Amino acid sequence: MDLEATQELTRASVPAGGTTQVADEVIEKIAVAAVRAVPGVADLGGDVARFFNAVLDRVGLDQVGDARRGCSAHVTGDAAVINLVLVIQAGRSVSEVTGQVRARVTEAVEAFGLRVDEVNIRVDDMAIGDTPTTLPA
């Protein structure tokens, strides 16, 4: 085999270069799914977001906006900062629930190959009873 043929084979076996970017919205969806699995989390989102979700529920659009509600993320390179707004069930320890939330969100996002630099949590409300979000009559 001549030298040109060897160089051509070598170049063909090298994978193409390029960049990979993960959208903030992807991380938000991953984080929300992880948060919903934590016992003691009643809901996500602030008062306004939960109010509008209740309105959408009443008109039959109950899944609109749920995938990312209560979460914002910012991805820079291979690192993410995640901000969550939670409603915690009454009688639950805030520190225990938020600790579990941080652990599950970090694990879920890192499983996708990103590093989690911060998981910031604001506990916006406490749910008493079965329905944390109610619409005024």
Side-chain angles (χ1 to χ4, degrees):
M1 204 186 287
D2 63 22
L3 182 58
E4 284 182 36
T6 304
Q7 288 176 342
E8 189 172 319
L9 288 174
T10 303
R11 272 188 246 131
S13 64
V14 175
T19 62
T20 302
Q21 296 177 339
V22 179
D24 295 348
E25 293 84 4
V26 172
I27 300 307
E28 291 166 1
K29 289 178 181 180
I30 294 167
V32 167
V35 170
R36 290 191 185 282
V38 175
V41 174
D43 206 353
L44 286 99
D47 292 334
V48 173
R50 291 191 323 273
F51 173 80
F52 282 113
N53 193 63
V55 171
L56 292 171
D57 285 349
R58 287 213 172 168
V59 296
L61 299 173
D62 57 350
Q63 295 301 314
V64 176
D66 283 352
R68 295 178 15 222
R69 182 169 43 98
C71 181
S72 65
H74 183 70
V75 179
T76 306
D78 66 344
V81 173
I82 300 160
N83 300 300
L84 301 166
V85 180
L86 305 179
V87 177
I88 293 183
Q89 293 172 345
R92 303 293 270 212
S93 165
V94 171
S95 62
E96 286 179 22
V97 172
T98 56
Q100 288 179 12
V101 165
R102 278 190 180 89
R104 288 215 185 166
V105 167
T106 300
E107 180 182 356
V109 172
E110 288 182 348
F112 280 81
L114 292 176
R115 183 181 76 245
V116 176
D117 287 344
E118 295 178 24
V119 177
N120 301 306
I121 301 171
R122 186 177 91 222
V123 177
D124 185 69
D125 203 353
M126 176 183 62
I128 299 173
D130 292 338
T131 54
T133 305
T134 57
L135 184 62

